Amino acid sequence: MVAPSRHIARFTSTLVLVCLMLTACAGAATPAPSWPADAIVVTAKDRQFDTKELQIKGDSSSTLVLINKDSDPHNIAIRTRSGFDGDVLFRFDPVSASTVVLPLGTLPKGNWFFLCEVHPAMSGTVFVY
Ligand SMILES: [Cu+2]
């Protein structure tokens, strides 16, 4: 028969061990992405963007969020002309089935164009005001 004090000691050490394991697991988990309330959020699903027009404040740097729900890779490139013409104002490499949060920087005011470089039919206009 184990003395009650040894019982408590064993229970306490087991509890400490479980807590340490839980802490280690929580630390290893990838945190859910978060973004500012005024971020430009675009969702890609079934090879379509959920918007054809992005309205972006030109005076301050803003944040772009792409939520890609497809296993297909998608990205967003902002260019001064439609398709692959004109200058690139912003782009990032395509991602699959994930959410990316990126600083847009300060874009020049004007009417621009965006597209997915993998699926150019996924496109729209950008209004920087
Ligand atoms: Cu795409």
Side-chain angles (χ1 to χ4, degrees), residues 71-91:
S71 54
D72 291 309
H74 300 300
N75 77 337
I76 292 176
I78 300 176
R79 306 186 70 110
T80 55
R81 299 183 65 189
S82 65
F84 290 93
D85 292 337
D87 297 327
V88 176
L89 299 176
F90 172 86
R91 75 173 295 286

mmCIF file of all heavy atoms in Angstrom, residues 71-91:
data_model
loop_
_atom_site.group_PDB
_atom_site.id
_atom_site.type_symbol
_atom_site.label_atom_id
_atom_site.label_comp_id
_atom_site.label_asym_id
_atom_site.label_seq_id
_atom_site.Cartn_x
_atom_site.Cartn_y
_atom_site.Cartn_z
ATOM 1 N N SER A 71 -7.594 23.394 -54.166
ATOM 2 C CA SER A 71 -6.279 22.745 -54.148
ATOM 3 C C SER A 71 -5.418 23.292 -55.291
ATOM 4 O O SER A 71 -4.200 23.153 -55.276
ATOM 5 C CB SER A 71 -6.421 21.228 -54.257
ATOM 6 O OG SER A 71 -7.189 20.907 -55.391
ATOM 7 N N ASP A 72 -6.053 23.933 -56.272
ATOM 8 C CA ASP A 72 -5.311 24.613 -57.347
ATOM 9 C C ASP A 72 -4.529 25.785 -56.762
ATOM 10 O O ASP A 72 -5.028 26.478 -55.879
ATOM 11 C CB ASP A 72 -6.276 25.209 -58.388
ATOM 12 C CG ASP A 72 -6.994 24.155 -59.189
ATOM 13 O OD1 ASP A 72 -6.321 23.262 -59.722
ATOM 14 O OD2 ASP A 72 -8.228 24.233 -59.272
ATOM 15 N N PRO A 73 -3.339 26.039 -57.308
ATOM 16 C CA PRO A 73 -2.613 27.227 -56.859
ATOM 17 C C PRO A 73 -3.229 28.500 -57.435
ATOM 18 O O PRO A 73 -3.667 28.511 -58.597
ATOM 19 C CB PRO A 73 -1.197 27.004 -57.411
ATOM 20 C CG PRO A 73 -1.386 26.110 -58.590
ATOM 21 C CD PRO A 73 -2.593 25.256 -58.294
ATOM 22 N N HIS A 74 -3.295 29.541 -56.631
ATOM 23 C CA HIS A 74 -3.751 30.862 -57.089
ATOM 24 C C HIS A 74 -2.833 31.931 -56.506
ATOM 25 O O HIS A 74 -2.222 31.740 -55.465
ATOM 26 C CB HIS A 74 -5.182 31.169 -56.614
ATOM 27 C CG HIS A 74 -6.217 30.209 -57.090
ATOM 28 N ND1 HIS A 74 -6.491 29.976 -58.420
ATOM 29 C CD2 HIS A 74 -7.074 29.421 -56.397
ATOM 30 C CE1 HIS A 74 -7.463 29.083 -58.524
ATOM 31 N NE2 HIS A 74 -7.831 28.727 -57.314
ATOM 32 N N ASN A 75 -2.784 33.054 -57.204
ATOM 33 C CA ASN A 75 -2.118 34.230 -56.638
ATOM 34 C C ASN A 75 -2.886 35.459 -57.100
ATOM 35 O O ASN A 75 -3.912 35.352 -57.786
ATOM 36 C CB ASN A 75 -0.640 34.300 -57.044
ATOM 37 C CG ASN A 75 -0.446 34.782 -58.474
ATOM 38 O OD1 ASN A 75 -1.338 34.688 -59.311
ATOM 39 N ND2 ASN A 75 0.732 35.306 -58.755
ATOM 40 N N ILE A 76 -2.403 36.617 -56.712
ATOM 41 C CA ILE A 76 -2.969 37.879 -57.188
ATOM 42 C C ILE A 76 -1.810 38.755 -57.637
ATOM 43 O O ILE A 76 -0.860 38.970 -56.884
ATOM 44 C CB ILE A 76 -3.781 38.601 -56.088
ATOM 45 C CG1 ILE A 76 -5.050 37.793 -55.761
ATOM 46 C CG2 ILE A 76 -4.148 40.023 -56.530
ATOM 47 C CD1 ILE A 76 -5.861 38.367 -54.623
ATOM 48 N N ALA A 77 -1.889 39.186 -58.891
ATOM 49 C CA ALA A 77 -0.936 40.168 -59.401
ATOM 50 C C ALA A 77 -1.730 41.406 -59.781
ATOM 51 O O ALA A 77 -2.787 41.300 -60.411
ATOM 52 C CB ALA A 77 -0.182 39.623 -60.609
ATOM 53 N N ILE A 78 -1.258 42.567 -59.360
ATOM 54 C CA ILE A 78 -1.892 43.836 -59.736
ATOM 55 C C ILE A 78 -0.989 44.498 -60.764
ATOM 56 O O ILE A 78 0.212 44.686 -60.520
ATOM 57 C CB ILE A 78 -2.102 44.747 -58.504
ATOM 58 C CG1 ILE A 78 -3.014 44.048 -57.483
ATOM 59 C CG2 ILE A 78 -2.700 46.092 -58.930
ATOM 60 C CD1 ILE A 78 -3.199 44.833 -56.186
ATOM 61 N N ARG A 79 -1.572 44.817 -61.912
ATOM 62 C CA ARG A 79 -0.789 45.382 -63.017
ATOM 63 C C ARG A 79 -1.473 46.644 -63.525
ATOM 64 O O ARG A 79 -2.669 46.852 -63.316
ATOM 65 C CB ARG A 79 -0.648 44.358 -64.145
ATOM 66 C CG ARG A 79 -0.079 43.016 -63.681
ATOM 67 C CD ARG A 79 0.170 42.083 -64.848
ATOM 68 N NE ARG A 79 1.288 42.531 -65.666
ATOM 69 C CZ ARG A 79 2.463 41.895 -65.725
ATOM 70 N NH1 ARG A 79 2.659 40.792 -65.046
ATOM 71 N NH2 ARG A 79 3.438 42.372 -66.482
ATOM 72 N N THR A 80 -0.706 47.451 -64.229
ATOM 73 C CA THR A 80 -1.241 48.721 -64.729
ATOM 74 C C THR A 80 -2.149 48.516 -65.939
ATOM 75 O O THR A 80 -2.935 49.400 -66.285
ATOM 76 C CB THR A 80 -0.099 49.688 -65.108
ATOM 77 O OG1 THR A 80 0.764 49.031 -66.036
ATOM 78 C CG2 THR A 80 0.667 50.118 -63.871
ATOM 79 N N ARG A 81 -2.020 47.351 -66.595
ATOM 80 C CA ARG A 81 -2.904 47.033 -67.713
ATOM 81 C C ARG A 81 -3.455 45.638 -67.521
ATOM 82 O O ARG A 81 -2.943 44.860 -66.715
ATOM 83 C CB ARG A 81 -2.159 47.173 -69.043
ATOM 84 C CG ARG A 81 -1.660 48.612 -69.274
ATOM 85 C CD ARG A 81 -0.989 48.780 -70.610
ATOM 86 N NE ARG A 81 -1.929 48.578 -71.709
ATOM 87 C CZ ARG A 81 -1.562 48.489 -72.988
ATOM 88 N NH1 ARG A 81 -0.285 48.571 -73.318
ATOM 89 N NH2 ARG A 81 -2.466 48.307 -73.934
ATOM 90 N N SER A 82 -4.496 45.293 -68.265
ATOM 91 C CA SER A 82 -5.141 44.000 -68.066
ATOM 92 C C SER A 82 -4.263 42.864 -68.598
ATOM 93 O O SER A 82 -3.367 43.074 -69.406
ATOM 94 C CB SER A 82 -6.521 43.985 -68.727
ATOM 95 O OG SER A 82 -6.381 44.098 -70.124
ATOM 96 N N GLY A 83 -4.562 41.668 -68.143
ATOM 97 C CA GLY A 83 -3.781 40.502 -68.541
ATOM 98 C C GLY A 83 -2.357 40.619 -68.009
ATOM 99 O O GLY A 83 -2.136 41.076 -66.891
ATOM 100 N N PHE A 84 -1.395 40.211 -68.846
ATOM 101 C CA PHE A 84 0.003 40.259 -68.419
ATOM 102 C C PHE A 84 0.705 41.511 -68.945
ATOM 103 O O PHE A 84 1.928 41.578 -68.967
ATOM 104 C CB PHE A 84 0.735 38.993 -68.897
ATOM 105 C CG PHE A 84 0.295 37.758 -68.157
ATOM 106 C CD1 PHE A 84 -0.712 36.955 -68.652
ATOM 107 C CD2 PHE A 84 0.888 37.422 -66.946
ATOM 108 C CE1 PHE A 84 -1.123 35.814 -67.965
ATOM 109 C CE2 PHE A 84 0.490 36.294 -66.247
ATOM 110 C CZ PHE A 84 -0.520 35.490 -66.761
ATOM 111 N N ASP A 85 -0.095 42.498 -69.396
ATOM 112 C CA ASP A 85 0.491 43.729 -69.928
ATOM 113 C C ASP A 85 0.738 44.740 -68.812
ATOM 114 O O ASP A 85 0.215 44.617 -67.706
ATOM 115 C CB ASP A 85 -0.441 44.351 -70.982
ATOM 116 C CG ASP A 85 -0.523 43.485 -72.254
ATOM 117 O OD1 ASP A 85 0.420 42.704 -72.477
ATOM 118 O OD2 ASP A 85 -1.527 43.602 -72.967
ATOM 119 N N GLY A 86 1.510 45.748 -69.157
ATOM 120 C CA GLY A 86 1.757 46.839 -68.225
ATOM 121 C C GLY A 86 2.734 46.452 -67.128
ATOM 122 O O GLY A 86 3.336 45.376 -67.144
ATOM 123 N N ASP A 87 2.896 47.375 -66.186
ATOM 124 C CA ASP A 87 3.848 47.161 -65.087
ATOM 125 C C ASP A 87 3.193 46.400 -63.946
ATOM 126 O O ASP A 87 1.997 46.508 -63.716
ATOM 127 C CB ASP A 87 4.341 48.518 -64.555
ATOM 128 C CG ASP A 87 5.099 49.308 -65.619
ATOM 129 O OD1 ASP A 87 5.774 48.668 -66.459
ATOM 130 O OD2 ASP A 87 5.004 50.553 -65.610
ATOM 131 N N VAL A 88 4.016 45.650 -63.233
ATOM 132 C CA VAL A 88 3.552 44.931 -62.050
ATOM 133 C C VAL A 88 3.628 45.875 -60.845
ATOM 134 O O VAL A 88 4.689 46.409 -60.531
ATOM 135 C CB VAL A 88 4.435 43.684 -61.780
ATOM 136 C CG1 VAL A 88 3.999 42.996 -60.491
ATOM 137 C CG2 VAL A 88 4.366 42.722 -62.949
ATOM 138 N N LEU A 89 2.476 46.105 -60.211
ATOM 139 C CA LEU A 89 2.455 46.955 -59.011
ATOM 140 C C LEU A 89 2.562 46.114 -57.742
ATOM 141 O O LEU A 89 3.010 46.593 -56.703
ATOM 142 C CB LEU A 89 1.156 47.768 -58.975
ATOM 143 C CG LEU A 89 0.946 48.720 -60.164
ATOM 144 C CD1 LEU A 89 -0.411 49.394 -60.069
ATOM 145 C CD2 LEU A 89 2.060 49.763 -60.213
ATOM 146 N N PHE A 90 2.120 44.852 -57.853
ATOM 147 C CA PHE A 90 2.133 43.966 -56.692
ATOM 148 C C PHE A 90 1.932 42.540 -57.182
ATOM 149 O O PHE A 90 1.194 42.306 -58.128
ATOM 150 C CB PHE A 90 0.985 44.345 -55.735
ATOM 151 C CG PHE A 90 0.793 43.376 -54.596
ATOM 152 C CD1 PHE A 90 1.528 43.508 -53.424
ATOM 153 C CD2 PHE A 90 -0.112 42.322 -54.709
ATOM 154 C CE1 PHE A 90 1.366 42.592 -52.386
ATOM 155 C CE2 PHE A 90 -0.280 41.414 -53.665
ATOM 156 C CZ PHE A 90 0.462 41.559 -52.504
ATOM 157 N N ARG A 91 2.588 41.613 -56.563
ATOM 158 C CA ARG A 91 2.311 40.206 -56.846
ATOM 159 C C ARG A 91 2.927 39.351 -55.744
ATOM 160 O O ARG A 91 3.792 39.803 -55.013
ATOM 161 C CB ARG A 91 2.837 39.765 -58.215
ATOM 162 C CG ARG A 91 4.347 39.563 -58.271
ATOM 163 C CD ARG A 91 4.829 38.965 -59.587
ATOM 164 N NE ARG A 91 4.360 37.606 -59.820
ATOM 165 C CZ ARG A 91 4.817 36.522 -59.187
ATOM 166 N NH1 ARG A 91 5.763 36.638 -58.282
ATOM 167 N NH2 ARG A 91 4.341 35.327 -59.451
#
